Amino acid sequence: VLEEGGIVFGASFQKDFSVAHCQVESAEDLCVLQGSKYSQSNVGSCYNQARENLKSGRKVLFSGTPCQIAALRSVLGRDYPNLLCVDIICHSVPSPKVWQTYLRNTEEQTGKKVVRANFRDKRDGWKNYYLCTHMNDGREVLRQGNDNYYMKAFIQGLSTRPSCYDCKFKGQNHIGDITLGDFWGVESLCPEAFYEKGTSLVLIQNEKGQAAYDKIASKLELLPINASKALQGNPAYCVASEPH
């Protein structure tokens, strides 16, 4: 999309480490959209910005949670041939206030300021990931995902927004052109595709998604697999989070 003069929207960290959508117009700036961000993203005026770019004939890729993509389509009111929507396999969205509380607690415990955050530090691999906060004295605060109270609250549904318990965009109701997720279970289903830093699952939802995928397929390491089998390790694709 960028190579064709388009614009990309996605979630990024702000100066206070809150999460908000922004637009990117160069490959060099794509890094701000990369990486997992387990907090609700403030879309701000991005839907309107996307609409103005689409009306001008510019290509737009908009990435987000399934409900954010549904909201974009609702705002637009019609499909645009120059729009590509990418959603994710979404477990749920934690409250931003909980994330800010976690950051402040980390600063109180260390006596230092957080200068960078990474929800999925994979130095010890994809499954043994850490939530890592970098402090202004050069220290790193590493907390393993399955033993970290912020991540445990997220996975168990303690910090989930109430709307996520009744998510309308599961299973066949995903309305992105392409859906991305972690390929959980890859080592048993197709071990030749397992990668220590993580293997992605790419679901093509329609012809527009297929056309976009075909354009970049030659740049990827691909292994086709039956979608039903691939989703066995991803119940969040079909089932909403349960209230704790």
Side-chain angles (χ1 to χ4, degrees), residues 5-70:
I7 187 168
V8 175
F9 291 87
S12 66
F13 280 122
Q14 305 302 291
K15 289 183 178 179
D16 64 350
F17 300 103
S18 61
V19 181
H21 264 59
C22 70
Q23 63 184 45
V24 164
E25 300 188 52
S26 69
E28 292 74 29
D29 292 333
L30 272 177
C31 58
V32 302
L33 306 184
Q34 294 173 333
S36 300
K37 300 173 183 79
Y38 299 124
S39 178
Q40 181 174 332
S41 176
N42 182 356
V43 176
S45 61
C46 284
Y47 294 147
N48 289 329
Q49 293 170 22
R51 178 167 52 193
E52 293 307 308
N53 280 279
L54 290 166
K55 284 183 175 180
S56 71
R58 198 172 183 189
K59 289 195 172 184
V60 171
L61 187 155
F62 203 102
S63 65
T65 60
C67 57
Q68 288 173 332
I69 299 302

Side-chain angles (χ1 to χ4, degrees), residues 47-48 51 69-78:
Y47 294 147
N48 289 329
R51 178 167 52 193
I69 299 302
L72 171 66
R73 293 198 188 279
S74 180
V75 168
L76 295 178
R78 69 176 182 88

